[in-house]
């Protein structure tokens, strides 16, 4: 049984990074997405509590990270699982999720529809002969694995979609020319792109990471961001675990999660690694990072990002 946690930090990150020296044998960090709201920080705290409960039951870092992400998928306020945003057609919901740990487990799903908890399907992929499944194949895999049909767009998703449509400009631009939904295209403006994620170190020194997203808007059907791409949206290894949030199209070319992980693995200071990660991008681009090693936990973001460290 793990000792009761000595601290809970709920922090809406602005420009100054959050760095904590770790003394407990286990630690958890959860984020609710770059550009998130302070009022949603309690959802991150609840998710971290779910992760702690997994550790208290003797489960490992990956199980704890998954439990945290499941809690945020079920929350409805975050762009993941039950709170995932609607596609531009007002009907389609496509979700990505991924899991990885320092013991060699890795699984991801992309463009997954009609399940409640994509991160649990990603967990099942990690136990399969494959590393990643997408689209219809991922959905069939989920059904075989006992994940029931689920399609209940949240009230928030409807509000976000209506706000997006009402703000659209008259020129369809590239989205209009490449439109691949069944319904005719409205005009896009950028709206949501947040992700949820958790990194955990357990009492045995193992690291785990899990992440989930409902995607970004506007986006073509079939769009995949950084979240399910190993090294881009997430990474875990013997030196620690990292997950990121922001616009995937910008994050992917930098392999941001693995890049930050590598700096940490080479002995770089946590704050320097996170700031270097942010420095890879234009100053007006929203990017957030959380990371954990044997001795440090940290987060950094260009905009507000609800974070809980437990």
């Amino acid at each position: 049984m793990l000792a009761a946690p000595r601290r809970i930090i709920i922090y809406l990150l602005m420009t100054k990074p959050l760095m904590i020296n770790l003394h407990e044998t286990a630690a958890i960090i959860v984020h609710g997405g770059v550009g998130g709201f302070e009022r949603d920080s309690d959802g991150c705290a609840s998710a971290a509590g779910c992760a702690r409960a997994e550790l208290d039951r003797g489960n490992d870092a990956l199980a704890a990270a998954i439990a945290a992400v499941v809690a945020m998928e079920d929350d409805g306020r975050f762009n993941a699982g039950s709170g995932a945003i609607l596609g531009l057609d007002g009907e389609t919901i496509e979700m990505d999720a991924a899991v990885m740990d320092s013991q060699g487990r890795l699984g991801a799903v992309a463009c997954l529809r009609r399940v409640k908890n994509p991160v649990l399907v990603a967990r099942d992929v990690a136990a399969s002969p494959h590393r990643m499944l997408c689209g219809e194949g991922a959905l069939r895999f989920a059904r075989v694995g006992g994940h029931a049909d689920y399609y209940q767009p949240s009230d928030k998703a409807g509000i976000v979609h209506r706000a997006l449509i009402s703000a659209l400009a008259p020129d369809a631009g590239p989205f209009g020319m490449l439109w691949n939904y069944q319904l005719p295209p409205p005009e896009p403006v950028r709206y949501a792109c947040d992700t949820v994620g958790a990194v955990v170190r357990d009492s045995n020194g193992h690291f785990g990471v899990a992440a989930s997203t409902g995607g970004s808007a506007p986006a073509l059907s079939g769009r995949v961001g950084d979240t399910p791409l190993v090294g881009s949206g997430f990474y875990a290894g013997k030196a620690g675990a990292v997950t990121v949030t922001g616009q995937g199209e910008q994050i992917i070319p930098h392999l941001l999660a693995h890049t930050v992980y590598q700096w940490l693995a080479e002995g770089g200071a946590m704050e320097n690694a996170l700031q270097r990660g942010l420095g890879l991008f234009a100053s007006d681009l929203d990017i957030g990072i959380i990371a954990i090693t044997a001795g440090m936990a940290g987060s950094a973001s260009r905009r507000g990002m609800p974070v809980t460290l437990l």
Side-chain angles (χ1 to χ4, degrees):
M1 183 74 69
L2 295 172
R6 293 199 293 268
R7 61 171 176 266
I8 298 178
I9 296 171
I10 303 174
Y11 190 78
L12 186 67
L13 195 62
M14 297 300 183
T15 58
K16 186 177 180 180
L18 171 67
M19 301 294 147
I20 301 292
N21 286 303
L22 300 178
H23 303 291
E24 292 100 340
T25 58
I28 300 153
I29 317 178
V30 173
H31 79 78
V34 66
F37 300 102
E38 189 169 10
R39 63 175 181 264
D40 297 334
S41 293
D42 64 313
C44 291
S46 178
C50 292
R52 172 62 66 170
E54 286 294 313
L55 296 178
D56 286 346
R57 286 192 285 268
N59 293 319
D60 65 10
L62 184 59
I66 291 169
V69 171
V70 166
M72 289 188 285
E73 286 179 338
D74 290 345
D75 187 288
R77 291 176 292 175
F78 303 103
N79 179 22
S82 297
I85 60 173
L86 289 161
L88 282 175
D89 61 353
E91 297 180 2
T92 302
I93 296 176
E94 294 182 329
M95 300 168 288
D96 304 332
V99 304
M100 187 177 186
D101 73 1
S102 55
Q103 302 183 78
R105 288 177 289 184
L106 168 63
V109 291
C111 295
L112 180 61
R113 302 183 184 186
R114 304 190 71 93
V115 299
K116 186 177 183 183
N117 295 112
V119 74
L120 295 182
V121 185
R123 175 204 62 189
D124 292 350
V125 172
S128 81
H130 301 305
R131 299 296 196 184
M132 184 178 192
L133 293 173
C134 63
E136 184 177 352
L139 179 56
R140 292 182 180 179
F141 176 86
R143 296 290 183 261
V144 170
H147 299 275
D149 182 70
Y150 182 87
Y151 179 80
Q152 296 180 23
S154 67
D155 291 341
K156 177 184 175 182
I159 292 170
V160 168
H161 183 260
R162 288 191 293 272
L164 176 63
I165 297 304
S166 68
L168 293 175
D171 179 11
F175 285 96
M177 293 185 290
L178 300 173
W179 185 259
N180 63 349
Y181 292 98
Q182 292 184 352
L183 299 180
E187 274 318 300
V189 294
R190 182 147 304 285
Y191 201 85
C193 64
D194 50 320
T195 307
V196 302
V199 293
V200 178
R201 189 189 75 227
D202 64 29
S203 58
N204 293 316
H206 301 308
F207 298 97
V209 59
S212 183
T213 184
S216 68
L220 296 172
S221 178
R223 179 261 186 190
V224 178
D226 63 291
T227 300
L229 301 184
V230 60
S232 292
F234 69 99
Y235 196 81
K238 299 300 183 183
V242 181
T243 190
V244 307
T245 172
Q247 186 56 41
E249 282 71 15
Q250 301 297 322
I251 290 170
I252 291 168
H254 292 285
L255 291 173
L256 180 59
H258 184 265
T259 297
V260 171
Y261 171 86
Q262 193 61 41
W263 290 332
L264 294 170
E266 292 169 355
M270 176 69 73
E271 182 170 2
N272 289 343
L274 298 187
Q275 291 290 63
R276 283 181 71 186
L278 295 182
L280 294 173
F281 303 90
S283 60
D284 60 348
L285 191 66
D286 297 336
I287 300 289
I289 312 169
I290 62 172
I292 194 166
T293 65
M296 286 288 292
S299 69
S301 177
R302 288 271 176 72
R303 283 186 62 199
M305 183 171 73
V307 175
T308 294
L309 188 150
L310 180 58

